[in-house]
Amino acid sequence: MKKLRSQILIWMVVLIVPLLAVLAAYNIYTLKILNKQVAANNSDIISIYEKPVVQDMDYISYSMANAMANNSSMLQLNYAAGYMEAYICCNDIASDFKALVRSELEGLAALGISSPKHKLTRMVYSDAGKYTYNEKGELNNYLALLMQDEECYKAGWQLLSLTKRDYLVRILKNNNVYVIMVIDFSLMTTPQKEADEVESGYLVYTTKSNAALTMKKFIKENDIELKYSSGGYYISGSKANHYMIVQKDFPYAGIRQFYVSPYKGAVRYLDVVQILLMIITIGSACFIPVGFYYMKKTLFNPMESMITTMESIGSGQADAHMDENYKIAEFLQVKDTFNAMVDKIKELKINAYEQELQYKNVQMQYLQIQIRPHFFLNCLKNIYAMANQKQYDSIQEMILLLSQYLRSLFQINPSLISIEEEIKGVNTYIALQQMCQSEPPQCKIDVDPELWQFSIPTLSIITFIENSVKYGGVSDKRLMISIRVSKLISETDSYVCITILDNGPGFPSDGLNTSEEPYDENSKEHIGIINIKKRIELLYHGEGTLLFSNSNGACVEIYIPMDQNEVN
């Protein structure tokens, strides 16, 4: 059966959640579209700055190739007979390079001519780079090593990372003459150099492995991660500053370009209507827990209080009532009706319980009456046998013992008896048996000193002593009976264990089976054992246990819970 709370929540979900979901989906979709539009604009910015760089690099390559094919000094350098002639050619070529280097070509750092045959290299540097002597020397040395590879001109534009600068280098070859072109990333036009014209953003060049070639300090300080993203853009940066990052491959040398722009969220790009819809969505989502709280206070809490009261009554707290001051008229009516019903049920339950106790006491008395005649008849038979043998002194002694036993029996509680009193009865019974038999039984008793006053069902030990005397006797050995009373304590329960063991032939198989059968008040066999088992069930509500086994004789184990509060 479905709960009212569940039904209300389901209806709230069915009616409100879909609307909120649509609004939330719309807002999320709008934010994503705005982010994609911003990312597309940033990608366009990369293209805007990439285009002139690529065009100038292509122009430089074309100009150098054309010069190698048509410039008379370059052609003459291939066939120069001596060092001086080659030197003059190199000077003429360098003069032509100066005009090109000083032009406004994007990123052009240097042009060079080299004739390894004459061991001549001339480099013409741009003044814009302000290269130091050490920087020029480092670049020249690396280029000399690079040209030792005769295939170097086939590689196209190559990335060259030196100590302080990163370059793009391309080498063209015509016979024995090499033309060297050097592009410096720091000379390229970027948005950060035109902050007044372009909204704050940063164009960063990286290697194939996304290692920054420019803006290295900025990337490190802001904890920006440069990576390939299949989604077109991603957000990165420190906790204080977030950046939207768009990536695009550069046409040459496997270089990548990243446009890094400050990201303050797509909300700032929303118009008034979109912002209003977002506020409505958030407000509606906030209203749900407020509405639920109000319903919980006025509807769910009173219902839970009622259910708790009902559960308390179900667990046995018959005095539980609905005492809350409900604010809803229907709940007040239910409260008054329910409390009146509980009072009536309590009255009926008390009457039924009293009747049950009366029936239980009658049943217990009947069970005990069934056990006592068995013992009395045995005693009378023994007195009769002594009278036949004219053992008058023994008869007197036995009558005294029997009267002592009967006196103690009539003075005790009809249901329970202390172990000490039960053992006294056992001793009296053994004394009576020792007077009647030529080889009387011997009984060894071992009781935990703390358990002498522990209460057990009346006749629960002596019944099995009688059973041992009746069935345990063997002609060739004396009957030995052992009684041991001890504690059995586990992590969850504590029991008193009463073990009665003899050295007789033990229980027959049918006797063991019979002891496991349910109580039958019409049974004539094993009535004492069956009655003891039934009384233990009644007294301890199934918590007590009676076990039978054969262990070099008959063995009976009685387990009684130590918590006497369970007994009623």
Side-chain angles (χ1 to χ4, degrees), residues 308-433:
T308 301
T309 303
M310 295 177 186
E311 290 176 347
S312 299
I313 294 173
S315 63
Q317 300 180 21
D319 294 332
H321 282 71
M322 294 182 182
D323 298 326
E324 186 172 338
N325 186 20
Y326 301 112
K327 297 181 180 179
I328 299 178
E330 289 79 2
F331 284 161
L332 287 173
Q333 185 177 359
V334 171
K335 167 189 170 182
D336 295 337
T337 304
F338 182 82
N339 288 340
M341 180 182 66
V342 168
D343 292 337
K344 186 65 176 178
I345 292 174
K346 181 180 178 182
E347 180 182 352
L348 295 174
K349 185 176 180 181
I350 291 173
N351 294 335
Y353 186 69
E354 289 177 350
Q355 292 178 2
E356 182 181 355
L357 287 179
Q358 292 176 359
Y359 170 75
K360 189 174 180 180
N361 289 332
V362 171
Q363 189 178 18
M364 290 292 296
Q365 292 172 2
Y366 171 72
L367 291 172
Q368 290 185 202
I369 291 172
Q370 279 189 308
I371 293 176
R372 289 171 182 169
H374 179 69
F375 173 69
F376 298 152
L377 291 175
N378 286 340
C379 291
L380 292 176
K381 288 180 181 180
N382 290 331
I383 294 174
Y384 178 78
M386 291 178 183
N388 285 336
Q389 297 176 8
K390 299 180 180 182
Q391 298 176 356
Y392 302 117
D393 293 337
S394 298
I395 292 174
Q396 291 176 349
E397 184 179 354
M398 188 170 186
I399 290 174
L400 289 174
L401 289 172
L402 182 58
S403 64
Q404 179 183 351
Y405 174 75
L406 293 176
R407 186 181 298 110
S408 63
L409 186 65
F410 293 146
Q411 290 177 351
I412 63 174
N413 183 287
S415 298
L416 298 174
I417 185 174
S418 69
I419 291 177
E420 182 179 8
E421 293 296 328
E422 181 77 1
I423 293 298
K424 286 181 180 179
V426 170
N427 289 330
T428 301
Y429 177 79
I430 294 296
L432 289 171
Q433 293 299 326

Side-chain angles (χ1 to χ4, degrees), residues 104-123:
E104 296 182 354
L105 293 175
E106 283 287 336
L108 181 59
L111 291 174
I113 184 72
S114 178
S115 175
K117 174 182 177 181
H118 301 96
K119 297 182 181 181
L120 275 173
T121 299
R122 284 292 305 274
M123 297 293 298

Side-chain angles (χ1 to χ4, degrees), residues 423-524:
I423 293 298
K424 286 181 180 179
V426 170
N427 289 330
T428 301
Y429 177 79
I430 294 296
L432 289 171
Q433 293 299 326
Q434 289 175 344
M435 293 181 62
C436 300
Q437 298 184 19
S438 57
E439 289 189 8
Q442 297 294 321
C443 185
K444 180 182 178 182
I445 300 173
D446 180 15
V447 180
D448 187 324
E450 297 181 4
L451 299 177
W452 280 110
Q453 299 305 317
F454 185 81
S455 298
I456 61 175
T458 306
L459 305 178
S460 58
I461 296 179
I462 196 170
T463 299
F464 296 104
I465 300 298
E466 287 184 12
N467 193 72
S468 294
V469 172
K470 183 176 180 180
Y471 298 106
V474 181
S475 59
D476 59 346
K477 62 180 179 180
R478 182 185 296 273
L479 177 63
M480 303 296 295
I481 302 174
S482 174
I483 303 173
R484 187 172 184 270
V485 182
S486 60
K487 297 178 182 177
L488 181 62
I489 299 176
S490 66
E491 294 181 356
T492 56
D493 301 301
S494 300
Y495 291 88
V496 171
C497 177
I498 303 173
T499 303
I500 304 164
L501 179 66
D502 64 41
N503 63 342
F507 291 107
S509 58
D510 61 340
L512 288 174
N513 294 335
T514 303
S515 68
E516 299 295 333
E517 293 175 359
Y519 170 69
D520 182 4
E521 62 180 4
N522 297 319
S523 175
K524 301 299 182 181

Side-chain angles (χ1 to χ4, degrees), residues 97-105 108 111 124-127:
F97 284 174
K98 285 181 181 181
L100 193 60
V101 167
R102 290 172 181 174
S103 64
E104 296 182 354
L105 293 175
L108 181 59
L111 291 174
V124 180
Y125 287 89
S126 169
D127 294 335

